[in-house]
Every structure is written in structure tokens, then in C-alpha cells.
Amino acid sequence: MLTMARSRRDFTPECKDEAVKLVITTGRAVATVARELGVNEATLGRWVSAFMARNETGQTEVTESKRAELLRLRKENADLKMDRAFLKKASIFFAQEASDTSVLRSN
């Protein structure tokens, strides 16, 4: 007897979040939404349960897009800190130079 093995599908965190939002925001049954999306009912039920548990504890999963944005913002913040430090040193240098030239003019 030949049987065909079903391949396991992987879902992105964003896809899971959207499916969970459909269940929560519309108030429809997990079984109904699962059927519409072509996802196993038990799988969607686990996603919803995990979402509810995360929200009860205040933990939220960081998506790849948010992680990428966080890395970009951290790099930008580091660059701005370097720019600020440079400008601070430059302003001190020019302030000292201006005071030195004003002393020379008064003599």
C-alpha cells in the first residue's frame, strides 16, 4: 500500500499573527477561520492560545521586520551619538579659537 507523506508547512510569524487577529477581532470560531485559511484547526488554536498567554504576561513576539527596524534604529542612534560628540569637540575648538583671536585683536 502506497501512502503519500504530507509535507509540513512553515508559517511566518506575521502570517500567524494575522490569522490570530482574524479570530480575535472578528469573534469567529477558530474552526471557521482555520477552514477559510486552509490551516489545521488545532494549529490555529495553539497560535491563539500562545497569543493569549503572551498578552496575559505582557510578552509579545518580535517580528523579523520589527527586529530589522530595531537594528537599523540602533545603528542610526550610534551614528548620531558619534556626530554629536564630533560637533561638541568642534564647537569647543572653534570657541577657543575665537577667544584666542579676540585676545590677539585687543593687544
Side-chain angles (χ1 to χ4, degrees), residues 73-91:
L73 290 172
R74 284 183 176 164
K75 182 182 180 324
E76 183 180 340
N77 192 28
D79 290 345
L80 291 171
K81 284 181 179 181
M82 284 181 20
D83 290 348
R84 182 178 177 268
F86 172 78
L87 291 171
K88 187 175 181 181
K89 289 177 185 177
S91 66

Side-chain angles (χ1 to χ4, degrees), residues 4 8 27 29 34 46-47 49 53 65 74 83 87-88 98:
M4 296 181 69
R8 181 181 170 128
R46 281 193 304 274
W47 296 347
S49 297
S65 61
R74 284 183 176 164
D83 290 348
L87 291 171
K88 187 175 181 181

Side-chain angles (χ1 to χ4, degrees), residues 87-100:
L87 291 171
K88 187 175 181 181
K89 289 177 185 177
S91 66
I92 291 171
F93 172 79
F94 287 117
Q96 287 175 347
E97 186 176 283
S99 68
D100 289 346

Side-chain angles (χ1 to χ4, degrees), residues 16 19-20 23-24 30 41-57 59:
K16 293 176 184 179
V20 169
V23 172
I24 293 172
V30 171
E41 180 182 337
T43 302
L44 182 55
R46 281 193 304 274
W47 296 347
V48 171
S49 297
F51 177 82
M52 299 296 236
R54 278 195 316 265
N55 284 343
E56 287 175 6
T57 61
Q59 296 175 344

